[in-house]
Amino acid sequence: MKLSEIFKNFPIVFSRFGKEYEERKEQVDYAWAIYNALEKRDILLIEAETGIGKTLGYLLPAILYAKKYNKRIIISTYTKVLQNQILNSDILLAKEILGIDFFYAVAYGRENYICKRRIKQTFNYQLFDFSEEKERLNNLYQQLNAKSEININFWENLPPSLKEKINCVSEACLNEECSYYYECFYQRARWEWRRSDILIVNHALFFANLKYPILPEYQGIIFDEAHSLEDVCANSFGFSITENGLKSLIFRLYNPKTKVGLLKILKLNAKKFREYQKEIFYVLNDLNDYFQKLKNFLKDEKKKRIKGDLTILPNFLAPLQNLKEQINEEVQKIDNKEITIEFIAWKKEVEEKIKNIEEFYKEKDNFVFWLAEEENSLSLNSALIDVQEVMKQNLYNKEIPIIFTSATLRIKEDFHFFASRLGIEKYDKKYFPSPFDYSQQALVYIEKNIPLPTEEEPFYEKAAKIISDIIHHAKGRTLVLFTSFKALKRVYELCDKTRYPILIQEENSSTIFLLSEFQKNINASLFATGSFWQGIDVPGESLSCLIITRLPFDVPDEPRIEGIKEKLKKENLDPFWYYQLPNAVLKFRQGFGRLIRSKEDYGAIVILDKRIIEKSYGKYFLKSLPKSVKNTENINLLINFLKNVPTKIFRN
């Protein structure tokens, strides 16, 4: 079956799914480029701007290629949300369009699957820290019995302490010896992975698989949302150890407050039990003392890079190591495999944490280390500075087709920045412009009568007034993007919230929930940061205005950014022009892409950072926008646009 013939089926299939099909010649050309790269086993960099229909555009050739040659293709995307979108929508369309049998599966990290044996054990030994944990687990168990498959969204409202007791971890797995082996959610998932032609993963799982292989062999890979690969790779090869995570690990053995934990399963005599209670008390006391000293060291800072100059030593490691060895001796006396494996899992997790903390105190080439505090929990973190060698050693030597695709891969119409960051040396490249008529569908307004974002309070006050006025003229329907939660919260405080509802992203907000609320309430506005700059889809009238409060430069003293800047300076390269500016331009393009999602969409983009017209580098942001989009500094044109579109008053 030829691709050109396949696309003739689109209108009929789309109507069956209650969707309206927009014919896009660019989508056919994009699909051919993907198929040819798979056939030639090329490394292909392919930018397809918003509106091309990338997901179906790469799924169809991937499926045809996989079936033709009996090979497995991995589709890797940015988040679990995007995985689910492919699983529940695009691949169903693809199956209907092609009309051929093929197997597909979605893979999540092992920790996302629930272990029935561990649930039973948690009930049997009453390993609940709080009574509500028991109630939640009981409800979950009933849901599991009512369904044949595990739903990843079961995790949404479970506290971390409960997840750790019931999730599927390799160290606590009995494999074929487990009585639940043939009904195990994780094992069943792996069987599906092994028979799949198309396997849908997320970037974090893909890079985790490079370190600890769990996925089946594959003969080609398509990276969607490829612009995010560098950051995910850098973090995947580092670690993050939180204060709360360490405490939770110790509480899993025994929680002095709730008097619950694995320790009680050992059936120790009273004297021995009290000795362990004392040991655990000493470990917790030393751990609390250590993290309190780190908090004092941080003072009012939320994040601080460590460069081998941290004199506060983790004194709790020695008693923790001693406790681990004593518990190991006790476990040797147990002949119950189900109990033994839980203690083995606990011991291995302790060993991993000790190893990471020791690494934190040793300077390593190409790594950056830092302390961070979030939600009253301090963390020790590390990440790669440069991912090029990791990518070369683990990926490019496989001699398989590798396709990197995104709406934003190019800077100044060139792929060099993206390729150089990932160490890609030989590659083919393709570019497909958006089919949208931005001259009619969009208007960019730049506010010049506003303080610079660096003048924080005056900027916040003026921004709040402008945002309130624009929300009024747009009748809500506005997404406001910030580069920090500090700015978001301050502007929100100053905004008028009496006329139209404003949703606000908190630091632990659910992206899925916020998007759902935003789309349901047509007159709502949403203030967001971080993940909302990319990968979200709000087609239609719910989003008619996008406000970019500040050009999205990374914070210059962010630990990994500092490491990158130092490396570039050693190479006699200017970090601003070689990394910070191009990276910000890519993110800016991602933000812009949130607005127009179909040929029926329209909307205004408001930029509140006047550096875009006052600084020499501002032209790179403006030139990164579609050539046909009009921009203005006249507020009346913006108001008129918001008032009259979609009657398309902006025709020449």
Side-chain angles (χ1 to χ4, degrees):
M1 186 183 294
K2 293 181 179 179
L3 278 171
S4 52
E5 294 174 0
I6 289 167
F7 279 84
K8 292 176 184 176
N9 299 335
F10 272 40
I12 299 167
V13 172
F14 269 63
S15 64
R16 282 187 207 145
F17 281 79
K19 296 174 180 281
E20 189 174 333
Y21 174 63
E22 295 179 359
E23 188 175 349
R24 306 164 186 178
K25 176 186 178 297
E26 299 88 350
Q27 190 180 41
V28 181
D29 295 339
Y30 173 85
W32 269 116
I34 298 281
Y35 188 83
N36 288 334
L38 291 169
E39 283 276 9
K40 293 190 290 183
R41 295 197 297 180
D42 277 350
I43 291 181
L44 172 65
L45 277 53
I46 181 166
E47 179 177 288
E49 290 184 347
T50 308
I52 296 295
K54 286 199 313 298
T55 311
L56 270 178
Y58 62 66
L59 276 175
L60 295 172
I63 294 163
L64 289 176
Y65 177 82
K67 289 300 291 180
K68 180 178 179 181
Y69 295 105
N70 192 27
K71 293 184 177 181
R72 179 179 296 108
I73 301 297
I74 279 190
I75 308 290
S76 181
T77 190
Y78 186 31
T79 63
K80 285 187 281 189
V81 173
L82 292 171
Q83 278 181 276
N84 291 344
Q85 185 177 303
I86 295 171
L87 180 70
N88 297 321
S89 176
D90 298 288
I91 208 154
L92 300 180
L93 279 167
K95 197 172 183 71
E96 192 76 14
I97 288 164
L98 291 171
I100 60 174
D101 287 329
F102 68 93
F103 293 105
Y104 61 91
V106 62
Y108 307 102
R110 183 170 188 151
E111 70 282 356
N112 289 284
Y113 298 88
I114 290 174
C115 174
K116 286 191 172 184
R117 184 191 63 76
R118 296 188 82 200
I119 289 180
K120 180 184 175 185
Q121 187 165 275
T122 302
F123 275 119
N124 285 349
Y125 296 103
Q126 294 295 293
L127 300 174
F128 302 104
D129 286 315
F130 308 102
S131 57
E132 57 263 31
E133 282 191 356
K134 183 174 183 178
E135 185 179 344
R136 284 188 178 186
L137 190 56
N138 192 43
N139 290 337
L140 176 63
Y141 195 66
Q142 289 175 7
Q143 286 179 295
L144 293 181
N145 288 334
K147 293 178 179 285
S148 60
E149 294 182 3
I150 181 62
N151 184 334
I152 209 74
N153 294 325
F154 283 164
W155 285 121
E156 192 71 25
N157 298 314
L158 290 183
S161 60
L162 184 55
K163 289 180 186 178
E164 289 168 0
K165 295 167 188 169
I166 64 171
N167 66 355
C168 185
V169 292
S170 59
E171 293 84 359
C173 185
L174 290 169
N175 293 305
E176 290 89 344
E177 295 182 54
C178 179
S179 56
Y180 291 99
Y181 181 73
Y182 291 102
E183 53 187 285
C184 171
F185 296 117
Y186 178 66
Q187 296 299 343
R188 279 163 50 189
R190 291 192 71 193
W191 296 331
E192 293 296 313
W193 302 351
R194 287 192 287 268
R195 74 177 195 140
S196 66
D197 301 302
I198 303 293
L199 184 58
I200 306 159
V201 308
N202 58 65
H203 295 338
L205 176 59
F206 179 83
F207 287 115
N209 183 68
L210 294 185
K211 295 192 296 180
Y212 309 109
I214 56 168
L215 299 176
E217 285 295 314
Y218 52 90
Q219 291 75 44
I221 180 159
I222 298 172
F223 288 112
D224 191 11
E225 303 292 326
H227 61 274
S228 60
L229 281 173
E230 181 186 348
D231 287 341
V232 179
C233 179
N235 291 318
S236 295
F237 280 83
F239 60 77
S240 181
I241 299 171
T242 67
E243 175 186 6
N244 286 347
L246 282 169
K247 287 180 180 176
S248 182
L249 179 59
I250 295 166
F251 290 159
R252 214 157 81 223
L253 183 63
Y254 184 74
N255 189 328
K257 288 185 179 178
T258 61
K259 296 180 171 44
V260 170
L262 292 170
L263 192 63
K264 297 191 78 173
I265 301 175
L266 292 177
K267 294 185 170 48
L268 303 166
N269 62 51
K271 182 184 176 185
K272 194 70 173 175
F273 189 76
R274 283 194 299 272
E275 287 175 3
Y276 276 117
Q277 284 179 306
K278 283 182 183 178
E279 290 285 341
I280 289 167
F281 174 80
Y282 291 141
V283 172
L284 286 170
N285 193 53
D286 288 346
L287 188 148
N288 286 328
D289 181 62
Y290 171 70
F291 278 102
Q292 187 56 55
K293 286 177 180 175
L294 290 181
K295 288 172 185 174
N296 295 339
F297 172 73
L298 271 180
K299 295 179 181 176
D300 295 328
E301 295 181 79
K302 288 293 182 185
K303 195 174 289 186
K304 188 177 182 69
R305 186 177 172 195
I306 304 300
K307 297 178 70 176
D309 55 353
L310 188 60
T311 57
I312 302 164
L313 299 177
N315 295 328
F316 68 92
L317 289 189
L320 179 58
Q321 178 77 22
N322 184 52
L323 177 64
K324 183 205 74 175
E325 289 171 0
Q326 289 182 60
I327 291 295
N328 193 45
E329 289 178 15
E330 298 290 348
V331 173
Q332 304 299 320
K333 305 169 189 174
I334 302 172
D335 59 2
N336 184 319
K337 285 184 179 178
E338 291 199 358
I339 295 175
T340 302
I341 198 75
E342 281 299 323
F343 283 99
I344 290 173
W346 181 86
K347 184 191 78 165
K348 287 185 176 178
E349 192 171 342
V350 168
E351 288 170 348
E352 181 71 15
K353 293 290 190 288
I354 289 174
K355 177 189 168 193
N356 289 154
I357 293 169
E358 288 174 344
E359 286 178 0
F360 188 80
Y361 282 83
K362 299 173 186 173
E363 283 198 69
K364 289 175 69 178
D365 288 342
N366 200 29
F367 275 88
V368 65
F369 301 89
W370 72 95
L371 294 170
E373 187 171 15
E374 188 176 322
E375 296 180 9
N376 297 317
S377 180
L378 199 140
S379 61
L380 284 65
N381 308 273
S382 81
L384 278 173
I385 294 171
D386 190 320
V387 305
Q388 294 182 51
E389 286 307 312
V390 164
M391 296 291 283
K392 288 175 184 176
Q393 292 170 14
N394 292 282
L395 192 57
Y396 307 146
N397 60 359
K398 289 183 180 292
E399 296 185 353
I400 60 172
I402 305 171
I403 294 155
F404 300 86
T405 188
S406 169
T408 56
L409 292 184
R410 303 180 311 147
I411 300 291
K412 294 191 292 185
E413 302 182 352
D414 191 273
F415 289 93
H416 175 73
F417 174 72
F418 174 81
S420 64
R421 295 304 306 168
L422 293 183
I424 308 169
E425 294 170 352
K426 291 180 64 178
Y427 57 90
D428 195 6
K429 55 190 177 183
K430 296 284 182 183
Y431 163 65
F432 295 94
S434 174
F436 299 151
D437 183 0
Y438 284 105
S439 67
Q440 300 301 313
Q441 291 180 258
L443 173 70
V444 173
Y445 169 74
I446 301 166
E447 177 60 62
K448 62 180 180 180
N449 298 313
I450 189 171
L452 288 169
T454 49
E455 303 169 50
E456 290 188 350
E457 195 57 29
F459 174 78
Y460 296 154
E461 290 173 3
K462 182 70 172 179
K465 183 180 185 310
I466 294 168
I467 290 168
S468 297
D469 289 344
I470 289 172
I471 286 174
H472 171 66
H473 290 295
K475 297 182 174 63
R477 306 183 300 170
T478 300
L479 172 62
V480 187
L481 291 175
F482 296 83
T483 58
S484 73
F485 281 105
K486 177 186 175 184
L488 184 156
K489 289 173 182 175
R490 183 62 184 134
V491 172
Y492 175 79
E493 288 171 2
L494 296 166
C495 273
D496 177 8
K497 297 176 277 291
T498 60
R499 289 185 283 191
Y500 295 99
I502 297 176
L503 303 171
I504 179 171
Q505 181 190 11
E506 303 286 353
E507 292 185 49
N508 57 351
S509 293
S510 162
T511 302
I512 300 172
F513 174 77
L514 273 177
L515 278 177
S516 173
E517 290 299 302
F518 185 41
Q519 287 177 304
K520 278 192 292 188
N521 190 338
I522 198 88
N523 295 118
S525 293
L526 173 60
F527 286 19
T529 185
S531 58
F532 282 81
W533 279 84
Q534 59 184 329
I536 65 161
D537 194 1
V538 189
E541 204 179 348
S542 293
L543 177 53
S544 297
C545 184
L546 172 75
I547 301 178
I548 293 175
T549 56
R550 183 172 184 159
L551 296 177
F553 286 104
D554 289 311
V555 180
D557 59 355
E558 185 76 17
R560 183 166 178 264
I561 305 303
E562 274 192 351
I564 292 170
K565 286 162 60 180
E566 288 167 6
K567 183 177 185 298
L568 289 170
K569 284 176 183 176
K570 286 179 183 176
E571 297 168 358
N572 295 316
L573 298 172
D574 186 326
F576 180 79
W577 294 99
Y578 279 85
Y579 180 76
Q580 291 166 279
L581 177 61
N583 209 42
V585 170
L586 284 180
K587 193 170 181 181
F588 178 78
R589 291 183 65 202
Q590 277 290 320
F592 175 85
R594 299 312 100 212
L595 186 65
I596 307 297
R597 308 298 295 179
S598 76
K599 289 181 179 178
E600 302 303 316
D601 272 357
Y602 63 90
I605 299 92
V606 176
I607 301 168
L608 300 184
D609 191 337
K610 65 181 181 181
R611 291 177 297 177
I612 201 166
I613 51 175
E614 291 187 352
K615 297 292 185 182
S616 62
Y617 57 75
K619 63 187 176 186
Y620 293 106
F621 291 94
L622 289 174
K623 285 181 178 179
S624 75
L625 297 174
K627 288 183 173 62
S628 62
V629 71
K630 298 175 181 179
N631 65 71
T632 182
E633 296 168 24
N634 187 332
I635 188 69
N636 292 320
L637 287 179
L638 171 68
I639 293 168
N640 202 31
F641 183 88
L642 290 171
K643 180 181 178 182
N644 291 285
V645 172
T647 56
K648 298 188 178 179
I649 59 146
F650 231 73
R651 290 190 186 278
N652 290 324

